[in-house]
Amino acid sequence: LSELLATLGEAELADVLYRYGEERQSRRIARAIRAALPITRTAALAEVIARAVGGKGPIHPATRSFQALRIWINRELDELEHALEVLPAVLAPGGRLGIIAFHSLEDRLVKQAFSRLSGDGAPVDLYGNPLTSPAFRLVERRARKGEDRDPNPRARSARLRVLERNS
């Protein structure tokens, strides 16, 4: 991680933090990280970010930044997009595809893909009836939230969406 941070320019790092972590203070954090280089420990990186952002709360101030770096390094959204293209095709009639998303970026991709597959936005006749029958349906219109069933604080951000292939 230290080598990667050293190779990124301030603007590129800020863009990564903003895009993948939805971090509103990405520019300030990127500036602080670049000024503190070399950073060799994750605890030191977390401290630099916390000092740049300030504030206390139930969630550590560096959480979104670490999320952004992890998603970017592992290309997680690209992998999810690929899975959303491939997986529906292998479902048997009546088969279900359930995806648990742990942050809004993942959930947004899943929601949009499932919506498209279930016929939202498909052409309709003058009476609002779909011209073609969609191959899939949403099992529930809204995502199930982690806190609905599980008191585990790590599950607080989890969202479950389920798509079913029509018979």
PDB file of all heavy atoms in Angstrom, residues 2 22 33 39 59 61 68 123 130 143:
ATOM      1  N   SER A   2       1.961   1.198   0.733  1.00  0.00           N
ATOM      2  CA  SER A   2       2.874   2.344   0.811  1.00  0.00           C
ATOM      3  C   SER A   2       3.392   2.721  -0.576  1.00  0.00           C
ATOM      4  O   SER A   2       3.421   3.903  -0.940  1.00  0.00           O
ATOM      5  CB  SER A   2       4.033   2.014   1.746  1.00  0.00           C
ATOM      6  OG  SER A   2       4.955   3.064   1.754  1.00  0.00           O
ATOM      7  N   GLU A  22     -16.972   7.549  -1.638  1.00  0.00           N
ATOM      8  CA  GLU A  22     -17.951   8.619  -1.509  1.00  0.00           C
ATOM      9  C   GLU A  22     -17.541   9.575  -0.378  1.00  0.00           C
ATOM     10  O   GLU A  22     -18.352  10.054   0.386  1.00  0.00           O
ATOM     11  CB  GLU A  22     -19.354   8.045  -1.293  1.00  0.00           C
ATOM     12  CG  GLU A  22     -19.805   7.201  -2.473  1.00  0.00           C
ATOM     13  CD  GLU A  22     -21.171   6.587  -2.303  1.00  0.00           C
ATOM     14  OE1 GLU A  22     -21.488   6.123  -1.186  1.00  0.00           O
ATOM     15  OE2 GLU A  22     -21.927   6.574  -3.286  1.00  0.00           O
ATOM     16  N   ILE A  33      -2.332  12.837   3.093  1.00  0.00           N
ATOM     17  CA  ILE A  33      -1.604  11.588   2.837  1.00  0.00           C
ATOM     18  C   ILE A  33      -0.315  11.882   2.087  1.00  0.00           C
ATOM     19  O   ILE A  33       0.758  11.392   2.440  1.00  0.00           O
ATOM     20  CB  ILE A  33      -2.481  10.579   2.067  1.00  0.00           C
ATOM     21  CG1 ILE A  33      -3.613  10.061   2.968  1.00  0.00           C
ATOM     22  CG2 ILE A  33      -1.643   9.414   1.538  1.00  0.00           C
ATOM     23  CD1 ILE A  33      -4.647   9.224   2.248  1.00  0.00           C
ATOM     24  N   ILE A  39       4.287   6.389   4.287  1.00  0.00           N
ATOM     25  CA  ILE A  39       3.466   5.785   5.340  1.00  0.00           C
ATOM     26  C   ILE A  39       3.639   4.281   5.205  1.00  0.00           C
ATOM     27  O   ILE A  39       3.352   3.715   4.155  1.00  0.00           O
ATOM     28  CB  ILE A  39       1.979   6.176   5.180  1.00  0.00           C
ATOM     29  CG1 ILE A  39       1.825   7.695   5.257  1.00  0.00           C
ATOM     30  CG2 ILE A  39       1.130   5.480   6.227  1.00  0.00           C
ATOM     31  CD1 ILE A  39       0.435   8.194   4.907  1.00  0.00           C
ATOM     32  N   ILE A  59     -18.412   5.402  13.732  1.00  0.00           N
ATOM     33  CA  ILE A  59     -17.631   4.855  12.630  1.00  0.00           C
ATOM     34  C   ILE A  59     -16.332   5.662  12.519  1.00  0.00           C
ATOM     35  O   ILE A  59     -16.352   6.899  12.506  1.00  0.00           O
ATOM     36  CB  ILE A  59     -18.428   4.917  11.308  1.00  0.00           C
ATOM     37  CG1 ILE A  59     -19.706   4.095  11.442  1.00  0.00           C
ATOM     38  CG2 ILE A  59     -17.589   4.401  10.150  1.00  0.00           C
ATOM     39  CD1 ILE A  59     -20.643   4.215  10.269  1.00  0.00           C
ATOM     40  N   PRO A  61     -13.216   7.722  11.227  1.00  0.00           N
ATOM     41  CA  PRO A  61     -13.143   8.657  10.096  1.00  0.00           C
ATOM     42  C   PRO A  61     -12.407   8.106   8.873  1.00  0.00           C
ATOM     43  O   PRO A  61     -12.607   8.590   7.759  1.00  0.00           O
ATOM     44  CB  PRO A  61     -12.389   9.861  10.649  1.00  0.00           C
ATOM     45  CG  PRO A  61     -12.321   9.686  12.113  1.00  0.00           C
ATOM     46  CD  PRO A  61     -12.638   8.274  12.444  1.00  0.00           C
ATOM     47  N   ALA A  68     -12.495   2.784  -0.026  1.00  0.00           N
ATOM     48  CA  ALA A  68     -12.196   3.249  -1.381  1.00  0.00           C
ATOM     49  C   ALA A  68     -10.925   2.601  -1.920  1.00  0.00           C
ATOM     50  O   ALA A  68     -10.897   2.123  -3.062  1.00  0.00           O
ATOM     51  CB  ALA A  68     -12.051   4.768  -1.390  1.00  0.00           C
ATOM     52  N   PRO A 123     -40.346  -1.224 -23.035  1.00  0.00           N
ATOM     53  CA  PRO A 123     -41.427  -0.571 -23.772  1.00  0.00           C
ATOM     54  C   PRO A 123     -42.806  -1.077 -23.332  1.00  0.00           C
ATOM     55  O   PRO A 123     -42.983  -2.249 -23.011  1.00  0.00           O
ATOM     56  CB  PRO A 123     -41.168  -0.959 -25.234  1.00  0.00           C
ATOM     57  CG  PRO A 123     -39.859  -1.657 -25.263  1.00  0.00           C
ATOM     58  CD  PRO A 123     -39.444  -1.970 -23.883  1.00  0.00           C
ATOM     59  N   PRO A 130     -46.584  -4.034 -20.407  1.00  0.00           N
ATOM     60  CA  PRO A 130     -45.325  -4.326 -21.102  1.00  0.00           C
ATOM     61  C   PRO A 130     -45.575  -5.042 -22.426  1.00  0.00           C
ATOM     62  O   PRO A 130     -46.466  -5.891 -22.528  1.00  0.00           O
ATOM     63  CB  PRO A 130     -44.562  -5.213 -20.119  1.00  0.00           C
ATOM     64  CG  PRO A 130     -45.527  -5.608 -19.060  1.00  0.00           C
ATOM     65  CD  PRO A 130     -46.705  -4.715 -19.132  1.00  0.00           C
ATOM     66  N   ALA A 143     -34.817  -3.708  -0.888  1.00  0.00           N
ATOM     67  CA  ALA A 143     -33.750  -4.565  -0.356  1.00  0.00           C
ATOM     68  C   ALA A 143     -33.998  -4.849   1.119  1.00  0.00           C
ATOM     69  O   ALA A 143     -34.520  -4.012   1.842  1.00  0.00           O
ATOM     70  CB  ALA A 143     -32.393  -3.888  -0.519  1.00  0.00           C
TER      71      ALA A 143
END
